[in-house]
Amino acid sequence: MMSITIPKDPSEGSTSRSASTDQSHHPATLSRYESQKRRDWNTFGQYLKNQRPPVSLAQCNFSHVLEFLRYLDQFGKTKVHILGCVFFGQPDPPAPCTCPLRQAWGSLDALIGRLRAAYEENGGSPENNPFGNGAIRVYLREVKECQAKARGIPYKKKKKRKNQIKASEEMKAPKLQAT
């Protein structure tokens, strides 16, 4: 678990405490989602600070987000078979192989959702949100398709039944009012 540093009240001096050990500073306990969002936001901020030269949040754009997602792959736990692997396309391979471990598509998708929300909660404008950029959606779609092919499991959009299509069309149609 990542520990974040929270400054004490300025009148108490400049020492810091770990959020994981001191909950008295937070009157309301954060939900699991809010805690994860905060950890993700702090991790991304630290990633930007560690860049050479450091990148401020104001300078951050979608390319920094893509680099961050690729950086996270080294910590992944999902085996993604490469095209030349004898197990490529098999959902349950019978033996180990040397294919790389990657971040799972679902984990990256959820991460982007949390970071997108955190960006706006921390003062970023929705129009300039680098986590909502089209290039991020394209990257996530490519990761999803690549991982599905490597495992032999196609991700398909669920087809709507005719009843659902008719109902959704009726809801979209403008209603005329008699005057």
Side-chain angles (χ1 to χ4, degrees):
M1 180 175 185
M2 188 173 151
S3 177
I4 58 173
T5 302
I6 299 174
K8 285 184 179 181
D9 186 282
S11 63
E12 296 178 22
S14 63
T15 58
S16 61
R17 292 182 254 186
S18 169
S20 61
T21 58
D22 182 16
Q23 293 298 319
S24 65
H25 213 61
H26 299 286
T29 304
L30 295 176
S31 70
R32 191 170 140 196
Y33 170 80
E34 292 295 330
S35 296
Q36 186 64 55
K37 184 169 57 172
R38 178 183 281 182
R39 277 194 302 274
D40 293 340
W41 183 248
N42 289 334
T43 301
F44 182 70
Q46 192 61 49
Y47 172 81
L48 291 177
K49 286 178 189 169
N50 290 339
Q51 297 304 297
R52 294 291 169 244
V55 178
S56 71
L57 198 54
Q59 297 170 315
C60 175
N61 61 40
F62 73 90
S63 64
H64 297 107
V65 176
L66 290 174
E67 289 169 16
F68 178 65
L69 295 176
R70 291 183 187 112
Y71 159 78
L72 291 177
D73 263 344
Q74 67 184 306
F75 308 109
K77 297 175 185 163
T78 300
K79 179 75 75 170
V80 180
H81 300 289
I82 57 174
L83 195 53
C85 178
V86 294
F87 302 129
F88 184 84
Q90 293 185 29
D92 297 311
C97 66
T98 59
C99 291
L101 293 174
R102 303 265 190 246
Q103 289 290 337
W105 164 78
S107 298
L108 293 176
D109 188 49
L111 171 69
I112 289 299
R114 290 188 300 269
L115 288 173
R116 188 174 183 174
Y119 179 84
E120 293 173 19
E121 289 171 10
N122 284 281
S125 70
E127 299 82 30
N128 298 326
N129 192 330
F131 302 99
N133 187 283
I136 305 301
R137 289 190 296 274
V138 168
Y139 176 79
L140 289 174
R141 188 180 325 117
E142 289 172 356
V143 168
K144 179 181 179 181
E145 291 169 359
C146 172
Q147 290 184 4
K149 285 178 189 172
R151 294 180 60 219
I153 300 172
Y155 281 106
K156 292 183 181 174
K157 286 187 177 179
K158 293 181 181 178
K159 294 183 180 178
K160 290 185 178 180
R161 294 194 306 254
K162 288 183 182 181
N163 296 353
Q164 289 175 325
I165 293 171
K166 209 179 261 186
S168 67
E169 286 174 356
E170 289 173 2
M171 293 175 76
K172 290 180 186 174
K175 304 221 184 216
L176 300 174
Q177 295 180 346
T179 53

